[in-house]
Amino acid sequence: MKNEVLHQKVEFTDMRALVEWFGETYKEKLAYSYRIDPVKGAIITKSFAQLRDDVRGLATELADIGCTGKKCVLFGKYSYEWAVMYFSVLSIGGILVPLDKDWQGADLAETASTAEADYVFCDKDLAEKADIIAQKVALKKAPYYLNAENDSENSVAGMIEAGKEKFAKSSDAYYNTIIDPMSLGLLVFTSGTTGKGKGVMLSQNAILSDMSDVVQYVDFGSKTLGLLPLHHTYGSSVMIVGHAIIGSEVYISSGLRYIMKELKEQQPEHLILVPLYMENFYRKILANAKDTGKYKTLFRMIKVSNFLRKFGIDLRRKLFKSVHAAFGGKVKMVISGGAPVNPDIIYFFESVGIQSLNGYGITECAPIIAVNRSLRSVPGSVGPVIGIDEVKIFEKNEDGEGEILVKGPNVMLGYYKDAKATADAFTEDGFFRTGDYGKLEGDVIFITGRKKNLIILSNGKNVYPEEIENELSATPGILEIIVYEGKSKRGMEHNAIVAEIYPDKEFLEKQGIKDAHAYFKPFISNYNKDAVAYKKITVIKIREEEFPKNTLRKILRFKIDMSIE
């Protein structure tokens, strides 16, 4: 709706067009700031003009070594160089393959092999993992390092400078490289397992059309804190592309332990988060209120404030000044995505004067499908469907709930080299099957559940339980095993991956095993040794009875008690 538009919509033919546009439009306005040393280091700043120039240089050098049309694997921490690499690869028609730096080297190598990678770019301290990839995959060049010294071999910094010199002599390699914005630009793997995850094929047009549509409805501030991992489309699309379109500065966080200090120092005006961050902030605020004896006063003030707001009197920034101070004093809005948000937390932040906009997306849609808007936020929903998409509900039940189907330019091209999975993912009339259940009220989506068994952790990480179950199902003494996210009674931050086992009692008895938990623990520990951190099993449950099943003997997961202490 026009009366909800806060920013004029700007559209781009390809990523290079965006780079040139933000360099000319925002010029010396800051695009990025960060510290190399989080404790003693000086703040380094990069303007949009500098970002454009660095992209021009690196893109020119990438074209020179043959990256156009080739697959470039990228993994490392959130950094300015990561963002430059993102824009540069796409600006010369390369194919970016972002991977999770926390994966085991073997997992990275297997996925790079599946992707048929040609080049590898990563942080210097991840060189050992890059070498494992190089041993498995026939790369066209040795790995390049994002944060290596300028004069060191295979440094991205050196590539930028070399490319700038070439660009100054001739810009043809940069400007004349043909980009097909409708073809594969970003290859994103949906699972952190060795070659088992699907490769989602996204075009440049998918990402650009998605972000151009979203940002016009959101009241972004002039500065934010960069927290989200960039190998996820939520991180890269919103933090890199979205903020380049809107012209907001991103201060790159040095990590979890520095966030509270950085918030106070940098004074961001908005934050892009996953629910785990929101819950942590919420708990810290309440804990501080209890410690200072102001807990009851805080909630009395919320009641008074909410009453006054009914009459158009908004005193939230004054009444809750101490809460705002914890975020630097200027945060006016938080956008959360990647997992469901507890409604109580959204209500709390709204009550103290920080607008909380929940959204809905999926990697296959680049990623945003719906998001609450600054001028239209619907409680309990994930917001209105973005303007470029058509959404319908498939096989509605009596409550209007069914599978959410999406069609639009932001939808993926398909799954990499998996024609069957691609065919299964679309309806005959071209709608993408999200695998999520929900309902539509007007143009607003309400998520009511997950169709599949995918575990979406509060930090946005995805865990496919069947993969873990398959790895452990052959363990002697296991008859049935189900893996899930245990819901802690102490709150979301205490949730954990649970392996619930129905043991072969006859086997245990014959082996003289009386303590089933102690018997299975070494097997679980052995699995955990090689598992990615967020896929480690931390709770083992032993069942006395077999799992509930339907007439086809399939386990009914929704009937399992998934609560933990």
Side-chain angles (χ1 to χ4, degrees):
M1 297 182 180
K2 282 188 176 180
N3 61 350
E4 297 170 6
V5 173
L6 295 168
H7 309 282
Q8 183 179 353
K9 186 175 182 177
V10 186
E11 299 179 90
F12 306 93
T13 54
D14 54 48
M15 210 63 74
R16 185 170 62 216
L18 169 59
V19 170
E20 293 302 306
W21 178 84
F22 68 58
E24 181 59 31
T25 302
Y26 299 122
K27 296 181 180 176
E28 297 310 312
K29 189 177 180 182
L30 292 186
Y32 286 94
S33 53
Y34 57 94
R35 282 186 170 93
I36 294 175
D37 183 331
V39 179
K40 300 178 181 178
I43 294 176
I44 298 170
T45 60
K46 300 287 184 179
S47 69
F48 280 97
Q50 286 176 301
L51 174 58
R52 175 204 58 199
D53 292 346
D54 285 344
V55 171
R56 285 174 173 175
L58 183 54
T60 299
E61 189 65 15
L62 291 174
D64 192 58
I65 66 171
C67 289
T68 300
K70 303 300 180 184
K71 299 188 188 71
C72 302
V73 165
L74 173 61
F75 58 99
K77 66 179 182 297
Y78 198 140
S79 68
Y80 172 71
E81 291 79 11
W82 208 108
V84 173
M85 182 61 67
Y86 179 95
F87 281 126
S88 299
V89 170
L90 298 177
S91 289
I92 48 93
I95 300 163
L96 193 71
V97 186
L99 299 179
D100 189 338
K101 67 179 178 62
D102 293 329
W103 291 356
Q104 297 290 327
D107 292 355
L108 288 166
E110 188 66 33
T111 308
S113 177
T114 300
E116 302 172 298
D118 298 293
Y119 300 86
V120 169
F121 302 88
C122 68
D123 291 347
K124 182 66 176 176
D125 60 355
L126 300 173
E128 188 175 329
K129 292 182 178 181
D131 289 341
I132 294 172
I133 295 174
Q135 289 168 20
K136 186 175 182 65
V137 182
L139 301 175
K140 297 187 180 301
K141 298 278 186 180
Y144 292 87
Y145 302 111
L146 299 178
N147 53 351
E149 295 296 326
N150 188 359
D151 57 355
S152 64
E153 188 178 356
N154 283 20
S155 74
V156 168
M159 295 179 76
I160 292 172
E161 295 309 311
K164 283 182 176 179
E165 291 180 12
K166 292 172 184 175
F167 182 89
K169 294 176 183 176
S170 173
S171 59
D172 289 352
Y174 176 71
Y175 287 117
N176 294 345
T177 299
I178 296 173
I179 300 172
D180 180 359
M182 302 298 180
S183 67
L184 176 59
L186 202 69
L187 180 56
V188 185
F189 284 83
T190 58
S191 172
T193 58
T194 53
K196 297 173 187 174
K198 295 194 215 54
V200 176
M201 298 190 292
L202 297 173
S203 68
Q204 292 194 26
N205 181 66
I207 299 160
L208 290 166
S209 62
D210 195 53
M211 287 300 102
S212 289
D213 199 85
V214 168
V215 298
Q216 61 183 326
Y217 298 109
V218 180
D219 186 19
F220 289 99
S222 62
K223 188 175 188 178
T224 189
L225 210 61
L227 300 167
L228 302 178
L230 298 180
H231 63 275
H232 285 299
T233 49
Y234 180 34
S236 61
S237 291
V238 176
M239 295 308 302
I240 295 179
V241 178
H243 282 73
I245 294 173
I246 208 67
S248 288
E249 176 190 352
V250 177
Y251 178 84
I252 299 171
S253 173
S254 295
L256 285 171
R257 61 184 293 193
Y258 302 104
I259 288 174
M260 299 312 294
K261 171 179 173 287
E262 291 168 340
L263 285 169
K264 292 177 181 178
E265 176 192 77
Q266 295 301 314
Q267 299 184 312
E269 295 180 5
H270 70 271
L271 295 170
I272 313 294
L273 304 172
V274 291
L276 182 61
Y277 282 112
M278 290 189 71
E279 179 159 334
N280 283 340
F281 290 146
Y282 172 72
R283 290 184 179 281
K284 284 180 180 178
I285 291 167
L286 296 191
N288 183 63
K290 286 179 180 178
D291 290 344
T292 56
K294 297 178 180 178
Y295 184 82
K296 290 182 179 179
T297 303
L298 173 62
F299 282 91
R300 277 199 298 267
M301 289 169 63
I302 285 176
K303 283 186 179 180
V304 171
S305 174
N306 287 343
F307 176 76
L308 291 174
R309 285 168 64 201
K310 292 178 182 178
F311 301 94
I313 303 170
D314 191 349
L315 301 176
R316 287 177 294 175
R317 296 199 77 84
K318 289 183 179 178
L319 291 175
F320 306 106
K321 189 176 180 180
S322 61
V323 174
H324 286 266
F327 294 93
K330 294 184 179 180
V331 171
K332 59 182 179 180
M333 179 198 71
V334 172
I335 293 180
S336 180
V341 185
N342 187 314
D344 292 341
I345 296 175
I346 291 178
Y347 174 79
F348 175 82
F349 280 109
E350 292 278 358
S351 296
V352 299
I354 298 174
Q355 187 176 35
S356 300
L357 303 178
N358 193 20
Y360 166 59
I362 189 169
T363 301
E364 287 88 341
C365 293
I368 298 176
I369 297 168
V371 66
N372 278 293
R373 301 172 179 180
S374 294
L375 298 181
R376 182 158 64 116
S377 182
V378 182
S381 80
V382 291
V385 176
I386 62 175
I388 59 172
D389 280 345
E390 180 183 353
V391 168
K392 64 182 182 180
I393 306 300
F394 181 63
E395 295 184 339
K396 296 179 188 177
N397 62 17
E398 63 275 10
D399 298 317
E401 299 168 355
E403 185 179 4
I404 299 167
L405 306 183
V406 186
K407 182 188 282 186
N410 57 322
V411 176
M412 69 169 181
L413 301 170
Y415 293 114
Y416 187 65
K417 292 200 167 183
D418 197 336
K420 184 181 184 305
T422 299
D424 290 345
F426 289 88
T427 62
E428 289 184 2
D429 54 350
F431 278 80
F432 171 69
R433 304 176 188 272
T434 66
D436 294 325
Y437 278 127
K439 61 182 179 180
L440 271 174
E441 293 185 6
D443 65 341
V444 177
I445 298 178
F446 291 81
I447 303 292
T448 56
R450 295 288 173 180
K451 181 181 179 182
K452 299 175 184 177
N453 300 321
L454 174 67
I455 298 168
I456 301 182
L457 300 175
S458 59
N459 61 5
K461 296 282 191 181
N462 293 346
V463 179
Y464 292 80
E466 292 90 344
E467 291 178 347
I468 303 174
E469 290 160 8
N470 289 340
E471 274 200 52
L472 294 169
S473 60
T475 303
I478 290 181
L479 281 182
E480 299 169 353
I481 179 169
I482 291 293
V483 172
Y484 54 83
E485 181 187 17
K487 309 297 182 183
S488 175
K489 298 171 185 175
R490 294 179 291 158
M492 189 188 300
E493 64 184 15
H494 297 288
N495 287 0
I497 299 298
V498 177
E500 186 162 342
I501 298 167
Y502 176 56
D504 183 340
K505 295 178 181 178
E506 186 178 343
F507 170 86
L508 297 183
E509 188 178 337
K510 285 182 178 179
Q511 298 297 317
I513 298 166
K514 294 183 179 180
D515 187 341
H517 189 281
Y519 167 72
F520 288 119
K521 189 173 182 179
F523 293 99
I524 300 298
S525 297
N526 190 53
Y527 156 79
N528 282 341
K529 274 196 307 185
D530 297 321
V532 178
Y534 59 86
K535 293 189 176 184
K536 292 182 187 294
I537 295 166
T538 54
V539 177
I540 304 170
K541 280 187 177 182
I542 306 298
R543 291 181 68 87
E544 288 300 316
E545 299 176 351
E546 64 178 89
F547 289 95
K549 300 179 181 70
N550 63 16
T551 54
L552 296 175
R553 304 295 294 166
K554 290 184 178 179
I555 293 173
L556 301 173
R557 290 176 185 260
F558 69 90
K559 289 192 173 182
I560 300 170
D561 177 8
M562 296 186 178
S563 64
I564 59 174
E565 291 301 319

